[in-house]
Each structure stands twice: as structure tokens, then as C-alpha cells.
Amino acid sequence: MITIEPPSSLSNSALSKAGLTRFLNRARSSVGLEGEVDVLLADDSTLQQLNRAFRGKNKPTDVLSFPTPDEISQTHAGDLAVSLETAARQAAAYGHDLRDEVRILLLHGLLHLSGLDHETDDGEMAAREAELRCELRLPTTLIERVHAPKAKKRLTQTWAATSIRGRRA
């Protein structure tokens, strides 16, 4: 189930609960999670409270994952919380829409629910996220853009713009 609690500063007209649910189920299947996943789409303040309570970090974040114990993972894989305010800022910074950013964050969270952790796995999660990004037709993944040097990012954007212009000619 997806719960959307949009911040007053953000219109959620770009977000379709049904569309996000379809994407979540497709991504969940691609990741290999059997159990259901509940998602809360909220504001920075809510994510900051959750981040402080569960991770001891007193700051907002884009996505949080809450896996369930193995005993019930076949019926309920876990919960995700996404900040729509942070997602909107990141979407603007990376040049895509809010819907795509939320999907990127959902995929990232699902991979964490599956047991992967980019902070400790020597690139395993990054490789899987890149593979699934292609399969699910998403823009650059969260791990790719965090670890990509800024110069490389600019070069890639310049190449893409040139390539697109070249195809139109």
C-alpha cells in the first residue's frame, strides 16, 4: 500500500498512486522480494523524525528502508519512507520529473529491503541497481549519481544532448 502525505509546498499531481503501485510491484518482482511493501510518501520533517528515531541521524533523507524479520518476509518484505520534498529537489537537480525520482528512490529502497547495502558490499548493490534501472527504464540510479564525479556527469549530459540533437538532424 502506498500512502501519500504530500507537503503543502508540493503538488502531488505528477504522482499517481495507481501508477506508483504498478511500478512498485514490478520493481519488487524484479528485485526478487516476495512479500508486500508498504510505502509512505511524506515530507522532510517526517523523514527527519524517522531518521533520528531509527538511525540516530537528526537530518532529513530521501529514502528509508525498514526490513521485516525473515519469519514474515514472505508475506511482508518491509516498509519504505520517501521524502517528496527531497525527491523534488533531486529531480530538479538531475533534470527529470518527480515521478521518476520517486521511482528511483523506491527501487533503491527495495534493494535495501532485499538485503543489499551499498555502504558495505563493494559495489554489488550499485551493479544490481544499474541493471534494474535499465530493465525498469529509469534515469541514472541513486548510487550512480552519488559516486559519479561531477566532471563525468557533465560530460555524459553534454554527450546525451549532442546525441539527441544529432538524431533530430
Side-chain angles (χ1 to χ4, degrees), residues 26-93:
R26 198 169 77 236
R28 184 175 51 83
S29 177
S30 293
V31 167
L33 290 172
E34 294 181 25
E36 292 297 315
V37 175
D38 288 326
V39 177
L40 172 65
L41 302 176
D43 59 10
D44 278 347
S45 175
T46 300
L47 270 282
Q48 181 171 350
Q49 291 171 4
L50 291 170
N51 205 15
R52 181 178 51 242
F54 292 98
R55 298 181 67 225
K57 297 184 178 188
N58 191 21
K59 62 181 184 176
T61 190
D62 49 8
V63 60
L64 291 170
S65 303
F66 302 97
T68 57
D70 288 339
E71 302 83 52
I72 63 169
S73 64
Q74 300 239 339
T75 57
H76 188 80
D79 303 319
L80 301 175
V82 173
S83 170
L84 292 176
E85 290 173 322
T86 298
R89 286 191 302 273
Q90 290 175 176

Side-chain angles (χ1 to χ4, degrees), residues 83-153:
S83 170
L84 292 176
E85 290 173 322
T86 298
R89 286 191 302 273
Q90 290 175 176
Y94 288 98
H96 52 257
D97 62 26
L98 177 61
R99 181 192 70 141
D100 283 343
E101 184 65 20
V102 170
R103 288 176 173 196
I104 289 167
L105 296 173
L106 290 174
L107 174 59
H108 188 83
L110 289 170
L111 288 168
H112 276 300
L113 291 181
S114 77
L116 295 175
D117 185 355
H118 53 89
E119 294 180 7
T120 62
D121 71 9
D122 294 325
E124 183 182 347
M125 182 174 173
R128 183 72 174 130
E129 190 170 4
E131 174 187 316
L132 290 172
R133 175 192 56 81
C134 291
E135 180 182 321
L136 298 168
R137 296 186 174 104
L138 291 173
T140 305
T141 66
L142 192 59
I143 296 171
E144 288 173 325
R145 50 186 206 215
V146 167
H147 294 290
K150 293 199 184 293
K152 182 179 177 186
K153 186 172 114 182

Side-chain angles (χ1 to χ4, degrees), residues 151-168:
K152 182 179 177 186
K153 186 172 114 182
R154 277 193 300 269
L155 178 62
T156 303
Q157 290 170 340
T158 302
W159 177 85
T162 304
S163 180
I164 290 169
R165 274 187 249 129
R167 278 188 243 146
R168 289 185 185 151

